[in-house]
Amino acid sequence: MEASSAVSAVPAPGSTGAAATRPSLLRGVLTMTGSGFSNQLGAGIGAHAFPVIGPAGVVAVRQLVAAAVLLPAARPPFHRFTWRQWWPVLLLGAATALMNICLYVAIERIGLGLAVTLEFLGPLAVALLASRTWRDLLCGISAGLGVFVLVMPGPASDLAGIAIAMTGAACWAAYILLNRVAGQRLPGLQAPAAAAIVSLVFYLPVAVYLLMHGAFAGPALLYAAAAGLLCSVIPYAADLIALRHVPAGFFGVFMSINPILAAVSGILVLGQILDLHEWLGIALIVATNTVAIWLAGRRTKGAAALPGRPRLIDSGS
């Protein structure tokens, strides 16, 4: 999941002041759906480049595209950054780099729908950590059941692929928390732009190696570039537009549609047909994500209303 297309923190439903009008809400929903489908379609198209440049090569191109989009928009003054600003940016860039490679390696091993669904356990974990109520415990049990139904572990299961996807989920959780810290210490888009450069550094050796061996040519380069466009540029712009029409909390809950869109993209682009138990697992995890984020938003709203109580979850950067 490209960093620029993910929320920087688990949003609080209803955290915006004015309610969206029905036409505005409809435009927002259509824009978010288009953003999500673009993201998952790009991931599927990028997978076609795996035989030539591998997952690392696809991620390298995606990071180049992300940096090319964010740097001109944010123009971060790197020479003025203090260590207090640098350390969350460095960790954020590292988390982004690892998160993206985990996603693509998992797609290669276990398929797009399963990989994206397992990665969504990251935002779910962040939402659940905001409280210790029995409802959160039930959400945790529901998520665990959803994972079991989704993967149906057995002798034929690709346990390495599942573990890689779960590592990606942990990276996404770290990304959310680090983006919150970095966003508080740097204005505007400077934090994600700086993190995109840090993340790109990890993949420069990969890009140089593939370039020297002539791999960045022909259809593979086009597939990877299309993935960068569809997973970085379009979702980034669409999400900014969507947030003008819908509350930030609704945006966060609606993100749970991505595993379903990933499954559809896997079918259309990669011919990956899911079994019934995989659809049931995806549905259970999506429902758990929605409930958990909604509960986290209610707690955040209540905490903000009490004097002297700090907010546990940001409503966005």
Side-chain angles (χ1 to χ4, degrees), residues 52-146:
V52 179
I53 62 177
V58 176
V59 175
V61 175
R62 281 189 54 176
Q63 294 305 126
L64 280 168
V65 172
V69 171
L70 288 170
L71 277 180
R75 300 178 184 177
F78 295 105
H79 62 287
R80 297 180 184 173
F81 283 11
T82 65
W83 175 244
R84 184 173 178 272
Q85 295 169 323
W86 263 120
W87 76 258
V89 165
L90 293 173
L91 292 178
L92 179 60
T96 301
L98 184 56
M99 175 177 66
N100 286 331
I101 190 62
C102 283
L103 173 62
Y104 274 92
V105 172
I107 290 173
E108 186 179 36
R109 296 184 67 104
I110 62 177
L112 181 58
L114 178 53
V116 170
T117 303
L118 290 176
E119 278 215 336
F120 258 76
L121 295 176
L124 173 61
V126 174
L128 293 179
L129 287 174
S131 180
R132 307 289 188 275
T133 67
W134 64 270
R135 294 183 181 89
D136 298 298
L137 177 61
L138 289 179
C139 284
I141 294 173
S142 176
L145 179 60

Side-chain angles (χ1 to χ4, degrees), residues 77 80-91 177-192 314 317:
R80 297 180 184 173
F81 283 11
T82 65
W83 175 244
R84 184 173 178 272
Q85 295 169 323
W86 263 120
W87 76 258
V89 165
L90 293 173
L91 292 178
L177 299 174
L178 289 167
N179 210 0
R180 176 187 181 186
V181 176
Q184 290 172 341
R185 298 179 183 181
L186 289 169
L189 300 174
Q190 290 185 13
D314 281 346
S317 58

Side-chain angles (χ1 to χ4, degrees), residues 1-316:
M1 180 65 66
E2 178 60 50
S4 63
S5 64
V7 288
S8 60
V10 177
S15 58
T16 53
T21 62
R22 182 169 298 179
S24 179
L25 184 63
L26 178 60
R27 285 193 294 269
V29 168
L30 292 176
T31 303
M32 288 185 294
T33 303
S35 171
F37 191 70
S38 174
N39 205 350
Q40 306 310 329
L41 180 66
I45 291 174
H48 285 294
F50 289 170
V52 179
I53 62 177
V58 176
V59 175
V61 175
R62 281 189 54 176
Q63 294 305 126
L64 280 168
V65 172
V69 171
L70 288 170
L71 277 180
R75 300 178 184 177
F78 295 105
H79 62 287
R80 297 180 184 173
F81 283 11
T82 65
W83 175 244
R84 184 173 178 272
Q85 295 169 323
W86 263 120
W87 76 258
V89 165
L90 293 173
L91 292 178
L92 179 60
T96 301
L98 184 56
M99 175 177 66
N100 286 331
I101 190 62
C102 283
L103 173 62
Y104 274 92
V105 172
I107 290 173
E108 186 179 36
R109 296 184 67 104
I110 62 177
L112 181 58
L114 178 53
V116 170
T117 303
L118 290 176
E119 278 215 336
F120 258 76
L121 295 176
L124 173 61
V126 174
L128 293 179
L129 287 174
S131 180
R132 307 289 188 275
T133 67
W134 64 270
R135 294 183 181 89
D136 298 298
L137 177 61
L138 289 179
C139 284
I141 294 173
S142 176
L145 179 60
V147 171
F148 181 83
V149 172
L150 179 63
V151 303
M152 282 294 181
S157 298
D158 188 340
L159 298 181
I162 293 170
I164 290 169
M166 298 290 282
T167 302
C171 290
W172 196 352
Y175 166 82
I176 292 172
L177 299 174
L178 289 167
N179 210 0
R180 176 187 181 186
V181 176
Q184 290 172 341
R185 298 179 183 181
L186 289 169
L189 300 174
Q190 290 185 13
I197 290 297
V198 173
S199 180
L200 179 59
V201 169
F202 288 95
Y203 291 98
L204 281 179
V206 176
V208 171
Y209 175 83
L210 292 173
L211 189 62
M212 290 177 60
H213 287 76
F216 278 149
L221 180 60
L222 292 178
Y223 286 138
L229 177 67
L230 292 169
C231 297
S232 299
V233 179
I234 293 177
Y236 176 72
D239 289 348
L240 288 179
I241 294 172
L243 283 168
R244 297 175 184 171
H245 298 287
V246 301
F250 181 77
F251 178 90
V253 172
F254 197 84
M255 280 185 65
S256 292
I257 198 176
N258 273 274
I260 298 175
L261 296 176
V264 173
S265 177
I267 294 171
L268 297 178
V269 181
L270 301 175
Q272 297 171 344
I273 307 299
L274 299 181
D275 294 330
L276 177 60
H277 73 86
E278 293 175 314
W279 281 112
L280 291 174
I282 288 175
L284 188 53
I285 292 174
V286 166
T288 303
N289 266 280
T290 303
V291 172
I293 295 174
W294 177 73
L295 290 173
R298 288 188 61 186
R299 288 190 296 269
T300 302
K301 197 171 183 180
L306 296 176
R309 290 287 300 276
R311 289 185 61 124
L312 296 177
I313 304 174
D314 281 346
S315 58

